[in-house]
Every structure is written in structure tokens, then in C-alpha cells.
């Protein structure tokens, strides 16, 4: 299931890349031209759009936002120069992506955290999950490990000591509720809620699906010492692009912090 899902995601991503980039019409390597940033729709593109509409012009930044719904295309487009930057991912995910794909994308500035949560349409509390319940989890390496760590932190399972960002269900040592796991592409987890007993959903996909993490999650990641902050990223060597520096400054401005606080009410947390 994991391999099939990844192959499907790659095919879809390639199609999205061909479609999306044909419409760009700009050279992202031209530092005098617009800065094209690939982003997940929520909250990343929304935050970028706020910057574009309210802050960029004063800084002399021509910002263009391109939305992608998968976790592959933004990095491949950044690597090949089709876009100048991306904003959608965390460090463990990027490290894993670079290692597996031979890319050299680097973080520029961390902007926010989207707490990962466990959701259900069938129970009101995690403890109410029945023996043998099915839980959907993301199938990409880092988010799957992150999901399992969330369940372990809340006593639903126990993982091998010292397990890192490559944990899979095979690393579970105790499973008192005999939970079974359905591995899905991250974007599919909220759509599975009518078919499974619960699902671990990334914050951006939860918000897109009209879930409110701060209120609807049965359990939610703690922001304390959390390594999964989302950042602006570029291909190595482009960190000093003046457009990137301007955007990094704006993304960590008091205006953006207030926008995040007002719009997301604790479901997205500013990291600066």
C-alpha cells in the first residue's frame, strides 16, 4: 500500500508540475523579476497572499503564489528552478526528501507550526476507540513517524525506545487496543474519516477540511520543543537572493504574526 500510494502521488505530482509550471510565465532565477513561491493552499498560500496584498509592495517585492496540493511537486519545482522558493514543509520532511531524491533544498526562516491531530467522526475521546479500531495515518516517512509518536505520546501505543523519524507500525511494541493502521497519502486522511474509526491529519489538511484543530482534535501535538515548524525554503545557493531575504523578513513580521493569530485562533501557531 505504501509503495502504491507513493507511485500514485508521484504520477499526480508530475502532472500537477507540468500543468502548474506551464502557467508560470516567469523566470524564477531572474532576481529582478517576480519571486514565485510554491505553497500548500492552507495556511501557507493564505499567509503568502496576505503578505502579497498587504506588505510586499512597500518592500518592492513582486510576489507570486502558486498552490500545490501534494508534498512532492513544491520541492521538485524549487530544485529545477521553476519556482524560486517553497513554503509548506518541516525540517525532518525536507531532510528525508533531500536524502531520497538527491536534492539540495535548504530552509531560510521558520514561520509557523501546524499541530498534527487525531480526529474521528465516530468517537468523542481517544480512549473511546474500540479494540481493533482502524486508524488512518499519513504514508510518507516523516509524517507517518510523527503520527505514531502522537499516538504514543497519548498512551494509545508504545514505540521502540529511540525510534526516530522513520518509525512505522512495525516499530510498535505495545498496542493495547489492537489498533490497525491504514496508510494513506497525507491529503487523503481527512477524507477517510467516514470510512475509518479515526485518522491522524496534518494541520493544513485539517483546516482545508473545515476541521478546527484546537477544538476538534481528540489529541493534538504540543508546540513545546516541536521540531516540525514550517519554513520558507530555497535551492541551496539562493539564500542570498534579495527577493528571498525580503520575503523572509515579511513572513516573520509582527503583521504576519497577528494575521496568524487572528485567522487561525490557535490552529496554526507562529514560530517567531
Amino acid at each position: 500500500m505504501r509503495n502504491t500510494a507513493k507511485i500514485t502521488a508521484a504520477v499526480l505530482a508530475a502532472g500537477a508540475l507540468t500543468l502548474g509550471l506551464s502557467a508560470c510565465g516567469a523566470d524564477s532565477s531572474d532576481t529582478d523579476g517576480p519571486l514565485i513561491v510554491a505553497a500548500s493552499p492552507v495556511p501557507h498560500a493564505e499567509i503568502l497572499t496576505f503578505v502579497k496584498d498587504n506588505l510586499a509592495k512597500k518592500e518592492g517585492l513582486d510576489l507570486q503564489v502558486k498552490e500545490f496540493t501534494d508534498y512532492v511537486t513544491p520541492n521538485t519545482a524549487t530544485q529545477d528552478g521553476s519556482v524560486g522558493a517553497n513554503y509548506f514543509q518541516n525540517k525532518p520532511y525536507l531532510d528525508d526528501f533531500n536524502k531520497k531524491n538527491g536534492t539540495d533544498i535548504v530552509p531560510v526562516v521558520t514561520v509557523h507550526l501546524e499541530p498534527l491531530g487525531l480526529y474521528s467522526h465516530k468517537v468523542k475521546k481517544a480512549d473511546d476507540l474500540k479494540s481493533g479500531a482502524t486508524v488512518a495515518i499519513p504514508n510518507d516517512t516523516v509524517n507517518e513517524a510523527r503520527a505514531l509518536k502522537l499516538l504514543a505520546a497519548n498512551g494509545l501505543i508504545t514505540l521502540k525506545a529511540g525510534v526516530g523519524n522513520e518509525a512505522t507500525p512495525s516499530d510498535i511494541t505495545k498496542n493495547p487496543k489492537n489498533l490497525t493502521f491504514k496508510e494513506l497519502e497525507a491529503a487523503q486522511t481527512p477524507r477517510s474519516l467516514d470510512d475509518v474509526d479515526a485518522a491522524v491529519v496534518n494541520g493544513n489538511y485539517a483546516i482545508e477540511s473545515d476541521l478546527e484543530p484546537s477544538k476538534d482534535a481528540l489529541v493534538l501535538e504540543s508546540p513545546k520543543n516541536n521540531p516540525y515548524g514550517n519554513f520558507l525554503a530555497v535551492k541551496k545557493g539562493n539564500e542570498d537572493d534579495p527577493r528571498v531575504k525580503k520575503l523572509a523578513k515579511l513572513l516573520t513580521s509582527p503583521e504576519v504574526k497577528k494575521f496568524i493569530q487572528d485567522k487561525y485562533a490557535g490552529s496554526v501557531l507562529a514560530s517567531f
Side-chain angles (χ1 to χ4, degrees):
M1 180 182 295
R2 175 193 293 264
N3 290 337
T4 301
K6 286 186 175 178
I7 291 169
T8 302
V11 171
L12 290 173
L17 181 58
T18 303
L19 247 158
L21 300 182
S22 64
C24 284
D27 180 3
S28 67
S29 65
D30 177 10
T31 59
D32 293 324
L35 177 64
I36 305 168
V37 183
S40 298
V42 180
H44 310 79
E46 291 180 343
I47 294 170
L48 288 169
T49 298
F50 171 80
V51 171
K52 177 183 177 181
D53 292 346
N54 297 278
L55 305 174
K57 187 175 181 180
K58 294 178 183 177
E59 289 291 328
L61 175 63
D62 184 357
L63 178 62
Q64 294 185 7
V65 183
K66 287 204 67 66
E67 295 186 10
F68 293 92
T69 58
D70 69 284
Y71 286 169
V72 176
T73 317
N75 276 337
T76 57
T78 302
Q79 181 70 22
D80 69 22
S82 302
V83 300
N86 69 56
Y87 174 35
F88 78 100
Q89 65 193 321
N90 58 57
K91 190 64 163 56
Y93 179 84
L94 176 59
D95 289 345
D96 181 70
F97 188 94
N98 280 335
K99 180 179 178 181
K100 290 181 176 177
N101 294 279
T103 48
D104 58 349
I105 298 165
V106 296
V108 176
V109 65
T110 301
V111 181
H112 76 268
L113 171 72
E114 303 159 26
L116 198 74
L118 178 69
Y119 300 85
S120 177
H121 286 171
K122 299 179 180 178
V123 298
K124 298 295 185 182
K125 297 187 298 183
D127 288 344
D128 292 339
L129 287 169
K130 296 180 180 179
S131 179
T134 299
V135 179
I137 56 176
N139 70 352
D140 64 272
T141 302
V142 170
N143 282 307
E144 180 168 67
R146 188 180 173 189
L148 293 172
K149 288 178 181 180
L150 173 67
L151 299 178
N154 287 276
L156 292 169
I157 59 173
T158 301
L159 293 171
K160 291 177 184 176
V163 69
N165 289 319
E166 296 186 354
T168 71
S170 65
D171 294 305
I172 296 172
T173 56
K174 293 182 181 178
N175 186 359
K177 288 183 175 288
N178 295 311
L179 301 176
T180 60
F181 297 95
K182 186 173 184 178
E183 298 166 294
L184 299 173
E185 186 181 353
Q188 300 296 324
T189 54
R191 302 171 196 170
S192 73
L193 281 168
D194 289 331
D195 303 315
V196 298
D197 297 291
V200 179
V201 182
N202 290 73
N204 61 313
Y205 292 133
I207 296 168
E208 286 177 34
S209 302
D210 295 324
L211 294 168
E212 191 171 342
S214 60
K215 293 182 179 179
D216 296 332
L218 305 184
V219 297
L220 195 65
E221 273 183 326
S222 168
K224 187 176 181 181
N225 299 320
N226 195 303
Y228 297 106
N230 283 206
F231 47 71
L232 180 70
V234 297
K235 185 177 180 180
K236 188 174 182 180
N238 292 339
E239 303 95 315
D240 292 328
D241 183 324
R243 302 169 302 169
V244 172
K245 286 188 169 183
K246 287 178 181 178
L247 180 56
K249 175 184 175 183
L250 294 175
L251 282 172
T252 54
S253 65
E255 293 89 345
V256 167
K257 177 175 279 190
K258 185 176 188 304
F259 173 78
I260 290 172
Q261 291 171 339
D262 291 348
K263 184 170 182 63
Y264 302 110
S267 295
V268 175
L269 306 171
S271 299
F272 57 93

